[in-house]
Amino acid sequence: MRKITCLGIATFLIASLIYLIPQLNILLTTHGDGWLLRKEFILFSGVVAWLFMTLAMVLSLRLPALDSMTGGLDKGFILHKWAGIVTLTTGVLHWMMKIIPKWLAQQGWITPQQKTRHMAGTAPEWPIELASVGQTIAEWAIYILIVLCVIALSKKIPYHLFRYIHKIFPLIYLSMTFHTLTILAKTSWWSGPSSLIILILAAIGTVSAFISLFQLIGKNRKIPATVIRAERHGDIIDITLQSEKPLHYRSGQFAFVRFGDNPEQHPYTIASSPANPLTLRFVIKALGDDTRHLVETLAPGVKAEVEGPYGCFDFECRFERQVWVAGGIGITPFLSRLTALAQQGGTETPTELWYCGRQEPSRELTELCSKAKVQLHTVDTRNHGRLSSETLLQTMSPDEKVGVWFCGPVSFGRILQHDMKKRAVPFQYDNFSLR
């Protein structure tokens, strides 16, 4: 979370820099004039909203470089969501500050605005009609953005509807960028350093928007595959794919998988060992309509498409001891690591796996832990509830260099992360909450 917080702060600081370079002197000479301060706020909030929307567009590309910068694609999704929230909040404030004071003045409730220049320098000649069109487009884009953000943030909206509606966001971004550039051209910013920064970022954001519009995200990381095994165990399906090209990944990483003619892809943790990059295993639980249908209908021979790998769930960190906590279907990244360790003759680092679930651990899990030399603890959540942080902390001495790896329900992970942070215990997790 620290990485995405730093990226968010850096984005805000860049927006502030873009605004302050040309406007600082004017801001310092407003002398408390309400209308001048209003205009400065409109300008600043517009820059912030547009820059965070640019950040959201770039994050949507799922670039490998951003994977490491954000601490994993799952953390990148969190930053993407909050970038959208900041865009919506500052965009609405930008729009409200534009229209509400004028309306109050028309009603005679506040003193009307005095005509005065509020942007630095003298504006160059520019078609006023074009800037007016940009403002109109942006106003309608704000209305649509509000509706889209409410839909995107509401988990009551089915994922397949959310997915299709989400494709409209690049058009909103292009509308906002057009508005930004036409406003920019009316001011002396056009000849200053801030315009160069904006133009570079606009080019990056525009390219990102078109990549998204033409559904080219992750194109170079997609590999065709075929289902060669599909075993059902209640509401869980154990799938093995044979890929046409090797997928080089690390234990703990995940991939987006699309089966058959289904247009939707979903993220699943890879449960197989990286030693065989042509054979990929996924253990999937029916948590929604798509996965429930998948569990009921998937069979060998079905074509699939795998995109990845993604994630920074790294088992190679150097600690004196490793503690793994798996909640239910969250066992999948540990299956991959256990299989790899079993093939290597076992781990040399003292490692414990705490498996929390409503059923006894499978024979496969027990045997893998034995071969991998990993100590297995089981917690029956039907009778004893979830594993408590106190139980884990009691096994750790204050001077011991131990790390905790977690995969499971989000609420469970948040509690463990909070308590581990208080003891300064390193904590790794993946968050597959995409909304």
Side-chain angles (χ1 to χ4, degrees):
M1 295 298 289
R2 182 179 299 175
K3 288 185 177 181
I4 64 174
T5 300
C6 290
L7 283 173
I9 293 174
T11 303
F12 180 79
L13 291 177
I14 292 172
S16 301
L17 181 66
I18 291 173
Y19 164 77
L20 289 173
I21 289 175
Q23 295 297 118
L24 180 59
N25 288 337
I26 291 178
L27 185 64
L28 294 176
T29 57
T30 55
H31 302 301
D33 187 311
W35 284 103
L36 287 178
L37 288 173
R38 161 190 170 265
K39 292 178 179 179
E40 295 304 315
F41 179 81
I42 290 173
L43 187 57
F44 177 65
S45 59
V47 172
V48 172
W50 176 77
L51 201 58
F52 271 93
M53 199 170 191
T54 301
L55 174 64
M57 284 305 313
V58 174
L59 288 170
S60 70
L61 299 184
R62 305 203 285 255
L63 299 174
L66 292 175
D67 207 25
S68 57
M69 287 178 63
T70 58
L73 182 62
D74 59 306
K75 314 302 187 301
F77 277 130
I78 295 174
L79 180 57
H80 175 83
K81 181 180 75 172
W82 280 104
I85 292 173
V86 173
T87 296
L88 176 64
T89 304
T90 53
V92 169
L93 290 174
H94 174 84
W95 168 71
M96 290 177 64
M97 191 59 71
K98 182 74 176 178
I99 64 171
I100 291 179
K102 287 185 177 181
W103 180 80
L104 292 175
Q106 291 173 356
Q107 303 303 314
W109 295 345
I110 61 175
T111 304
Q113 175 185 9
Q114 299 296 321
K115 298 295 181 180
T116 183
R117 190 178 72 233
H118 69 283
M119 291 184 177
T122 304
E125 293 295 331
W126 190 263
I128 302 301
E129 293 80 5
L130 189 59
S132 178
V133 170
Q135 185 169 333
T136 302
I137 292 175
E139 183 174 346
W140 281 102
I142 281 288
Y143 301 147
I144 299 173
L145 181 64
I146 293 172
V147 175
L148 293 181
C149 284
V150 171
I151 293 174
L153 294 172
S154 175
K155 296 185 178 180
K156 294 183 179 180
I157 305 296
Y159 179 79
H160 66 277
L161 291 179
F162 157 79
R163 177 176 173 271
Y164 284 112
I165 291 172
H166 213 67
K167 293 180 179 180
I168 303 176
F169 278 94
L171 295 175
I172 302 298
Y173 175 78
L174 293 174
S175 301
M176 294 297 189
T177 300
F178 177 75
H179 170 61
T180 300
L181 295 179
T182 54
I183 292 297
L184 177 67
K186 292 175 57 179
T187 75
S188 63
W189 282 33
W190 194 257
S191 59
S194 290
S195 67
L196 180 60
I197 300 174
I198 290 175
L199 286 173
I200 293 173
L201 294 174
I204 295 172
T206 300
V207 170
S208 302
F210 279 109
I211 290 175
S212 179
L213 280 174
F214 289 105
Q215 301 183 38
L216 299 176
I217 294 175
K219 182 180 179 180
N220 295 331
R221 307 184 74 180
K222 293 180 179 179
I223 299 174
T226 304
V227 177
I228 59 175
R229 184 177 67 92
E231 296 181 357
R232 293 169 183 79
H233 308 280
D235 60 349
I236 293 176
I237 184 170
D238 192 336
I239 305 166
T240 301
L241 304 180
Q242 186 70 33
S243 63
E244 296 183 10
K245 297 179 181 180
L247 182 71
H248 299 289
Y249 61 94
R250 302 186 307 274
S251 292
Q253 290 191 296
F254 64 92
F256 287 89
V257 186
R258 182 177 63 83
F259 293 98
D261 297 327
N262 191 337
E264 296 185 26
Q265 55 177 201
H266 293 276
Y268 302 119
T269 302
I270 306 170
S272 50
S273 169
N276 188 353
L278 288 171
T279 303
L280 306 173
R281 181 188 179 193
F282 299 92
V283 182
I284 302 170
K285 184 175 182 179
L287 298 174
D289 292 339
D290 280 348
T291 49
R292 189 172 294 110
H293 178 73
L294 187 67
V295 168
E296 295 172 353
T297 62
L298 195 65
V302 172
K303 297 297 181 181
E305 184 181 70
V306 181
E307 178 195 328
Y310 294 104
C312 295
F313 202 71
D314 185 9
F315 288 99
E316 299 300 332
C317 297
R318 299 296 180 184
F319 293 106
E320 294 177 356
R321 184 161 65 93
Q322 294 187 8
V323 176
W324 305 346
V325 181
I329 199 62
I331 191 63
T332 48
F334 304 111
L335 286 177
S336 174
R337 182 60 172 171
L338 285 168
T339 304
L341 290 174
Q343 293 170 346
Q344 299 169 10
T347 179
E348 297 180 357
T349 303
T351 304
E352 301 173 16
L353 169 60
W354 293 78
Y355 174 70
C356 310
R358 297 181 179 180
Q359 56 188 13
E360 293 297 319
S362 65
R363 181 179 178 181
E364 176 197 16
L365 178 60
T366 304
E367 291 179 352
L368 279 175
C369 285
S370 177
K371 293 178 180 178
K373 300 179 182 178
V374 171
Q375 185 177 1
L376 175 63
H377 303 276
T378 60
V379 179
D380 187 344
T381 56
R382 295 169 299 181
N383 301 319
H384 305 291
R386 290 176 175 171
L387 174 68
S388 68
S389 302
E390 290 75 14
T391 300
L392 286 180
L393 291 171
Q394 286 173 2
T395 68
M396 307 174 191
S397 59
D399 57 344
E400 186 179 22
K401 295 181 179 179
V402 58
V404 176
W405 282 254
F406 171 82
C407 188
V410 174
S411 57
F412 185 18
R414 286 173 179 167
I415 294 172
L416 289 181
Q417 183 184 25
H418 177 266
D419 293 338
M420 295 301 130
K421 185 177 180 180
K422 290 194 296 185
R423 279 278 300 269
V425 176
F427 188 88
Q428 287 198 47
Y429 73 101
D430 272 343
N431 185 346
F432 288 100
S433 179
L434 304 185
R435 301 173 65 180

